[in-house]
Amino acid sequence: QVNLAESGGTSVQVGGSLRLSCVASGIIFSNDFMGWFRQVPGTEREAVAGIANDGSTSYADSVKGRFTITRDGATNTLYLQMNSLKPEDTAVYYCAAAKGALTAVSALRTLTDYPDFGYWGQGTQVTVTS
């Protein structure tokens, strides 16, 4: 059974930084894919960043250079370090997982198009204020 629990969402000012965490159970980082998605009410959920089982990463163009995805195998925790935050980063952020040795790019695409293929956390709200 896979369980994902996000934390760290809060309100932050424009230009600020925030780190989200996701504690995962039932997932082996060296075998499986992990990623972050976000969703604004009334819009489609979008991929933010992903990390494959081999440690390779992929980012949405909108967050490249500002966000960094990392993982800690010892604690089975996934992180998203978010810097230089903008108002358009405001969203509910979801941790996601998919079993298997998928590339980060393909896993992000698959989970965007077929969310039932993966596992999801409950989400954590990030609000960027000006």
Side-chain angles (χ1 to χ4, degrees), residues 75-112:
T75 60
N76 247 39
T77 303
L78 180 74
Y79 298 101
L80 184 68
Q81 178 66 42
M82 304 186 293
N83 299 328
S84 303
L85 282 161
K86 305 175 181 180
E88 52 264 43
D89 294 319
T90 295
V92 177
Y93 283 72
Y94 296 91
C95 175
K99 292 284 192 175
L102 305 168
T103 67
V105 171
S106 63
L108 290 174
R109 285 181 186 157
T110 298
L111 290 176
T112 298

Side-chain angles (χ1 to χ4, degrees), residues 31-75:
N31 291 347
D32 302 319
F33 165 86
M34 295 291 296
W36 290 97
F37 291 70
R38 65 187 182 188
Q39 188 171 24
V40 176
T43 68
E44 298 281 326
R45 188 175 299 184
E46 65 171 349
V48 175
I51 182 164
N53 67 309
D54 65 358
S56 59
T57 59
S58 179
Y59 295 90
D61 288 342
S62 59
V63 306
K64 278 180 183 175
R66 300 189 298 122
F67 290 13
T68 304
I69 186 171
T70 57
R71 64 189 185 189
D72 182 346
T75 60

